[in-house]
Amino acid sequence: MGLHLPDGGHVTFGTYSVNGLNYVRQTGLIDPYGLTTSITYSSAPLGTPGSWTRVTEPGGRYLYSHGTYDGNGYQTGNDVEAHDVDGTLLE
């Protein structure tokens, strides 16, 4: 499953289920040269769909996101960190 972009790249999608309901979300981006940026998600509390936790570019660098949740399972905050290929925190 995918969405083709004008530059020749495309967006990839995947399906997942939460509490018996099926959903579709973006899983990556493939550029015109065939290089893939991947998106990883985590499950949020109380069976909610969660949000992205990591976006990794073809060279291995990545953005890492970790959120905080209230007692009802709603995300109330989010921190994003930039990491080098070896995991070194950049920002």
Side-chain angles (χ1 to χ4, degrees), residues 30-60:
I30 302 174
D31 73 15
Y33 303 101
L35 301 174
T36 300
T37 297
S38 63
I39 302 171
T40 306
Y41 296 87
S42 69
S43 296
L46 306 174
T48 58
S51 58
W52 68 270
T53 55
R54 188 168 167 153
V55 176
T56 307
E57 56 99 19

Side-chain angles (χ1 to χ4, degrees), residues 57-73:
E57 56 99 19
R61 295 177 301 179
Y62 61 93
L63 297 175
Y64 175 72
S65 170
H66 48 94
T68 55
Y69 297 86
D70 67 13
N72 296 315

Side-chain angles (χ1 to χ4, degrees), residues 8 11 16-18 20 32-33 38 44-46 49 62 69 78 85:
V11 180
Y16 67 101
S17 297
V18 174
Y33 303 101
S38 63
L46 306 174
Y62 61 93
Y69 297 86
N78 200 44
V85 177

